[in-house]
Amino acid sequence: MLRSIDPTTGETIRDYPEATPAAIGAALDLAERAFHAWRRESFETRAAVLRRVAARLRERAADDAIMMAREMGKPVAQGRAEVEKCAWTCEFFAEHAAWMLTSQEAPSDASRSYVAFQPLGVILAVMPWNFPFWQVFRFAAPALMAGNACVLKHSSNVSGCSLAIEAVFREAGLPKGLFTTLLVPGSAVEPIIEMPQIRAVTLTGSAPAGSAVAAVAGGVLKKTVLELGGSDPYVVLEDADLDFAAETCAASRLINAGQSCIAAKRFIVVEPVLEAFTERFVATMRAKRWGNPLEEGADAPDLGPMARHDLRDELHRQVEASVGRGARLLLGGRVPEGPGAFYPPTVLDQVRPGMPVYGEETFGPVAAVIAARDEADAIRHANDTPFGLGAAVFTRDLARGERIALTEFEAGACFVNGLVRSDPRLPFGGVKESGYGRELGTFGIREFVNVKTVWVA
């Protein structure tokens, strides 16, 4: 059984029976048959379905936001915003997929030669709980517009969300079998990857999970796209607008209660402004409210509980171990009494290499402030990580910031005077242990296509 537990109360929401091997095989057979019909549909036909999906998402937004709040603790206002982003992404790819996948002339010794982009088949998506709708739609919208079929293995604690997503596609009229949710545990992923109906795999999750999936998929020669962990650095230079930087850094650190691969995690500040920035940053973090994610209006919290108690406990271990090695606790850092997987906004400074909050991914509302002598030292700290998902720099000199973003940061998404975020118009993904391949944008929709050369004598 797969169990959904409310992280606010610790109470069981529902138990879900696991799909049997026979049911899995039947679902994959149906997906493969549906793909062969869907791949021949026009972009206009596919786009009409995706636009209906967007409309249905908006109609269901309130209920689905409550589902997210109950299953993984996201405040309902943030849940509605997540659903809206999914709807926008469906509309974006409905409008632009045709030109993104337009055949390209490629002159050669033939009378005509060109490159075509054609769908691969049934794509397996292994998705995490932290953005239970967005993670799925940022894969599914471009994959479906490219002509593929989608099979979802979602995180076990958000099974209700995974079934709700399947219902959205069904209610919008997507042909049966083109989007299927499989309620299975993580142990079932390997045999599913190996099944002949699956043509490629995309995973968002931890580096160990990505490595395991890549090894299995590589063994059967199936393509993978991996969006893995991150320990994003935000560099604050001496000419930054410190009030703006502190507000933006706090917003990034606390988005989704800090449970985001691209949430800012390490704040690297040059010494001339270290004290002034830290004072502003701590004050901003202290002002953020945490509480019941179902509350709205004046009582609405900025962050809800963490998704699970074990995740909260691991985060607290990282904080305590870092303090034990010399980090200074400026804010938070204590497990609240009472029910729920809550953890308060937390700030540590005097953070140095060798501490967990310096070198590990901290998946929760914990910020590490790191002192740097100057720009060069700040960049050294920023790149001193096995991860490479996102990075940001704050400076009033935009040319300086762009140079650092373009030539110095080792990351897939580099921002100047802004928090790192995903956008359907732009490719998204990382380097190093943050994975490979891209989602979203033209590069994302072309990940799961056959780039076919056509040569005519």
Side-chain angles (χ1 to χ4, degrees), residues 36-203:
H36 286 296
W38 183 248
R39 70 187 299 270
R40 300 186 187 282
E41 294 286 1
S42 66
F43 284 109
E44 290 78 9
T45 297
R46 298 176 199 163
V49 175
L50 265 289
R51 291 189 177 99
R52 292 199 299 272
V53 170
R56 188 66 186 125
L57 278 167
R58 293 187 174 108
E59 292 168 356
R60 297 172 48 115
D63 290 340
D64 289 337
I66 292 172
M67 175 73 74
M68 282 186 262
R70 296 195 66 211
E71 285 200 315
M72 52 72 60
K74 190 188 304 289
V76 288
Q78 296 176 29
R80 287 195 299 271
E82 181 172 330
V83 172
E84 174 56 33
K85 189 173 184 180
C86 295
W88 171 38
T89 298
C90 288
E91 291 171 337
F92 175 80
F93 283 104
E95 180 177 355
H96 297 291
W99 72 259
M100 288 176 166
L101 299 177
T102 297
S103 297
Q104 296 180 357
E105 296 294 323
S108 70
D109 57 346
S111 64
R112 187 187 180 204
S113 52
Y114 57 96
V115 177
F117 304 98
Q118 298 180 336
L120 287 181
V122 182
I123 314 300
L124 172 66
V126 183
M127 293 289 111
W129 47 262
N130 56 338
F131 292 91
F133 273 65
W134 171 239
Q135 301 281 10
V136 176
F137 276 89
R138 78 182 191 192
F139 146 74
L144 288 168
M145 281 304 303
N148 296 297
C150 302
V151 172
L152 170 64
K153 186 279 181 226
H154 218 323
S155 186
S156 299
N157 61 319
V158 291
S159 295
C161 289
S162 65
L163 292 174
I165 292 168
E166 184 180 62
V168 167
F169 284 108
R170 181 177 64 250
E171 293 164 4
L174 184 72
K176 188 175 181 181
L178 282 175
F179 185 94
T180 302
T181 287
L182 295 179
L183 295 183
V184 295
S187 59
V189 171
E190 179 174 345
I192 292 174
I193 293 172
E194 293 174 337
M195 295 182 77
Q197 301 94 327
I198 298 298
R199 299 298 299 274
V201 187
T202 181
L203 175 140

Side-chain angles (χ1 to χ4, degrees), residues 312-322 343 356 360:
R312 191 269 308 276
D313 294 343
E314 170 59 17
L315 181 71
H316 188 55
R317 181 202 65 77
Q318 291 174 304
V319 171
E320 288 193 313
S322 298
Y343 202 76
E360 300 173 9

